[in-house]
Amino acid sequence: MDSKTSNEERSLQQMELEEIESKISDLDKWREIFSCHGLDINKRSDQKYQDGHTSDDESEEGAGAATSHVSKKHGQFPSNTPYSIPIPLIIPSNQGGRPVTKEMAMELRKTLFGNALHIFTYEWKKSYFKFCEPYSDLSFALEAEKGGSRAIQMAVQANIIKYLLFVKNNELHGHLHSLCEVSQKEQAKALAAALADILWTAGEGQQSTVCLVTTESHFPQCPDYKIDHFTEKILLFEFSEQEALQKFLYDHIHCFKKEGSHGVILFLYSLLLSRTFARLHKDMDFTTSHLLKFSLGNLICRQALLNLILTGRASPNVFNGDQEFDNEGVEQTPLHGVLVRSDIGYLQWSREEVEHDRPPQVGSMLKTPKLPIWLCHINGTYSVLFSTNRLLLSDWKMEHLFDLHFYNGQPLQHKTAHLTIDTHSHHWEGSQHPEEIDPEKRFPSVEMTIRTKWEGAAINWNGTVPFF
């Protein structure tokens, strides 16, 4: 058996394993839904039919949700089951735009999954950009659910903070209270501005594409492509001006921020098409052939996808520039890193990596962005760290004693954590009990992440119980 045949067999086996992991994950989700919630749902359904009517509040459905109830005697669950994937929000077919082709849909799948037969999991299909309550302590914030799509939601969250603090007001010092006074309309504007900025940067300031779902499929089913009843119905809208792009997104923002919108997937498709497949293939290196991967039954983002959102380029690594990789002394293969400083940075820290002597290798391009906002990857979970002081990273005197705010998108967090960073105090390294000599075991992971940027800094949680 030659090496080419062997590689093809290994590739096929890997695809089969990923497909099995995906199916097992989906089965687990439905098993949990049926076992934990099926009885209550059936009881509510029976009571409604016995009463013969529903209240006005019960009968009103959100945009895209199913509007009819099906009797249990037909063996079906009612259409308002809270754990089902709502019907996608759609736009009329006469809105213009260019229909997606089969070739384009297959290329989207290959770029994301490595082949055209994989489809998004349940968690991804139901993910969208949902804000917290307006005029609340977290009115600027997205509710990020568990699962692989959380990484994208938090990366977009960082761009929303950028807009509200430093673009909308254009002041040297933003104010945290301004993030707590965001109305529902301002939430929509902030999301549209954040998405537009990401797409425009990916298109290198020349052109961008927005994907929306219409009512009909644009190509028939075929054996080398798995239908998902979503991708086949996409219309593409192209823009050569950022202002027009942002206005279009604002006019159709419900297609990204409402339940049933598949908003995260729509944004992801728009991002890839804005970057173009040719640029994406040039961005990546031999270590990354596609942007999503299955891990323990979950579909998660590779670093190249996060870098695409943060920097506009799908570089697979977090170090500065390109580095040569010695392939067993045979040839020098370049690994692509981050080439320029972007507005938003990136920090990462993992106890597992430290225990296995694989410390983070994030370069200064990502550690020191143009604005004091960072997407953080901490023990496999994504969060956002930011300062309201625009000058924090441009004036070294500002970095002696300063404040940072931390948001992790989890339901238990009701306001940002306020941290005070002191880079001149090293009392955190003081004497400890012998059994506590390892600092990674003595301090919260958030603190260790911050110290990858400000080594040795003392961190005060200002009365908040440290977490992470």
Side-chain angles (χ1 to χ4, degrees), residues 36-56:
C36 296
H37 303 282
L39 182 59
D40 291 339
I41 292 171
N42 290 339
K43 285 181 178 179
R44 289 196 297 270
S45 180
D46 286 344
Q47 185 62 47
K48 288 180 181 179
Y49 284 106
Q50 290 172 6
D51 295 343
H53 68 279
T54 61
S55 68
D56 291 339

Side-chain angles (χ1 to χ4, degrees), residues 391-407:
L391 300 178
L392 176 63
L393 301 176
S394 59
D395 184 349
W396 62 270
K397 296 187 294 295
M398 298 286 182
E399 295 187 72
H400 290 172
L401 184 67
F402 57 94
D403 294 329
L404 292 177
H405 302 274
F406 180 77
Y407 175 64

Side-chain angles (χ1 to χ4, degrees), residues 36 50 55 62 94 155 158 177 212 240 262 284 291 374 391 415 466:
C36 296
Q50 290 172 6
S55 68
N94 61 357
H177 67 78
L212 299 179
S240 57
H262 292 66
M284 295 185 282
L291 300 175
W374 294 265
L391 300 178
K415 61 190 304 185

Side-chain angles (χ1 to χ4, degrees), residues 195-210 239-242 245 267 269-277 279-280 283 307-309 311-314:
L195 298 182
D197 191 36
I198 295 170
L199 298 181
W200 192 249
T201 302
E204 298 189 349
Q206 299 173 0
Q207 61 80 38
S208 291
T209 301
V210 176
F239 301 89
S240 57
E241 296 180 357
Q242 185 174 4
L245 167 66
F267 164 68
Y269 282 169
S270 301
L271 180 64
L272 301 189
L273 294 172
S274 294
R275 184 59 183 160
T276 74
F277 298 126
R279 290 195 188 115
L280 286 168
D283 290 344
N307 285 350
L308 176 58
I309 298 175
T311 71
R313 181 174 179 263

Side-chain angles (χ1 to χ4, degrees), residues 405-447:
H405 302 274
F406 180 77
Y407 175 64
N408 62 14
Q410 296 184 4
L412 293 178
Q413 188 174 5
H414 303 297
K415 61 190 304 185
T416 59
H418 175 202
L419 311 177
T420 298
I421 316 301
D422 184 352
T423 59
H424 281 190
S425 173
H426 297 268
H427 66 264
W428 76 284
E429 296 174 331
S431 60
Q432 301 288 334
H433 297 295
E435 65 272 13
E436 296 179 336
I437 196 164
D438 184 359
E440 283 81 16
K441 296 180 180 179
R442 290 189 278 112
F443 295 95
S445 297
V446 172
E447 296 187 15

Side-chain angles (χ1 to χ4, degrees), residues 40 89 98 138 153 156 223 329 406:
D40 291 339
L89 290 174
R98 179 163 58 96
L138 293 177
Q153 290 169 316
V156 171
F406 180 77

Side-chain angles (χ1 to χ4, degrees), residues 69 103 265 278 310-311 462:
H69 299 286
E103 292 74 21
I265 299 177
L310 296 176
T311 71
N462 294 304

